[in-house]
Amino acid sequence: MLRAKLCGMKTEAAARAADEAGADFIGFIFWPDSHRFVTPAEAAVIGRTVHRARKVGVFVDEEPAKVCAAADEAGLDYIQLHGHEDAAYVRRLNRPVIKAYRYGDGFSAAAANDFPAEFILVDAYRPGQAGGTGESFDWQRAAAEIRAVEKPVLIAGGISEANVTEAAEIFQPYGVDVSGSLEVHKEKSVDKIRSFMQKVAAWNGRN
């Protein structure tokens, strides 16, 4: 079964649409440099519309105490790390972790296996960017190494309705993470959310 994480939620309407369409996770961006940034208080309000999907907060090299406080205020189920956080950092957190790696930036399946995270997310590498670029990486080249990751893997980076089936076929991942392809003028589209989730449901119905 292919799970779907729909990230970068900024409105109640988008989060509700994702939840009702069957998303397994919804994500909130707590990195101020992102156009998808929300505060923990805003995420808490948006999250009240969600009854099924698990809530994930995305952080980049933030102080652990601030991450924990944000997780409590927003009612998060998982903390997703997109920076240079290490194992000692994770031990100071109060939620299970999704650790993001950028393929092409020294990605190592062995390092991912050793990291104290429940899930591993693999995104595209773009110098100077922490992720969320909407760009994909060389899936065929990466497939064998990513399959060596022993933990559940989420594939990110340019995932869309047009290629989610291909990503599922190549990686056989635990799930996919999608954000930019669900947007119109940098805002989530309810129609795109529903259409994407219909594609995921169709894949799951065949497998």
Side-chain angles (χ1 to χ4, degrees), residues 151-166:
K151 298 175 181 180
V153 171
L154 297 165
I155 299 295
I159 301 290
S160 69
E161 179 184 349
N163 64 14
V164 64
T165 296
E166 181 185 3

Side-chain angles (χ1 to χ4, degrees), residues 27 32 35 44 52 80-81 98 124 137 142 149 151 161 198 200:
H35 74 267
R52 177 184 175 279
Q80 183 171 315
L81 303 176
I98 301 171
F137 52 95
V149 177
K151 298 175 181 180
E161 179 184 349
Q198 286 170 1
V200 171

Side-chain angles (χ1 to χ4, degrees), residues 39-202:
T39 66
E42 289 168 337
V45 172
I46 296 168
R48 292 191 195 112
T49 68
V50 174
H51 304 292
R52 177 184 175 279
R54 287 165 284 180
K55 291 170 279 190
V56 181
V58 178
F59 301 87
V60 181
D61 294 325
E62 183 59 271
E63 288 292 330
K66 292 183 180 179
V67 173
C68 293
D72 288 339
E73 183 174 2
L76 301 181
D77 298 296
Y78 293 91
I79 290 167
Q80 183 171 315
L81 303 176
H82 264 267
H84 302 88
E85 303 89 358
D86 58 15
Y89 180 102
V90 172
R91 287 193 289 271
R92 299 173 63 187
L93 302 181
N94 59 357
R95 298 290 193 282
V97 165
I98 301 171
K99 175 58 180 171
Y101 290 90
R102 299 180 297 173
Y103 189 82
D105 185 27
F107 174 78
S108 162
N113 288 333
D114 287 342
F115 197 89
E118 185 164 335
F119 301 102
I120 299 299
L121 183 146
V122 184
D123 201 350
Y125 171 58
R126 183 177 178 184
Q129 297 291 321
T133 64
E135 299 174 3
S136 60
F137 52 95
D138 189 336
W139 289 352
Q140 295 290 349
R141 177 184 172 193
E145 186 167 13
I146 290 175
R147 279 197 293 268
V149 177
E150 297 165 356
K151 298 175 181 180
V153 171
L154 297 165
I155 299 295
I159 301 290
S160 69
E161 179 184 349
N163 64 14
V164 64
T165 296
E166 181 185 3
E169 290 173 344
I170 290 173
F171 294 105
Q172 298 292 315
Y174 175 84
V176 291
D177 181 291
V178 60
S179 186
S181 69
L182 305 178
E183 296 175 351
V184 176
H185 304 305
K186 294 187 176 182
E187 297 294 338
K188 291 290 184 292
S189 161
V190 169
D191 289 340
K192 285 182 175 292
I193 287 170
R194 290 171 177 161
S195 185
F196 178 81
M197 289 307 304
Q198 286 170 1
K199 197 80 170 184
V200 171

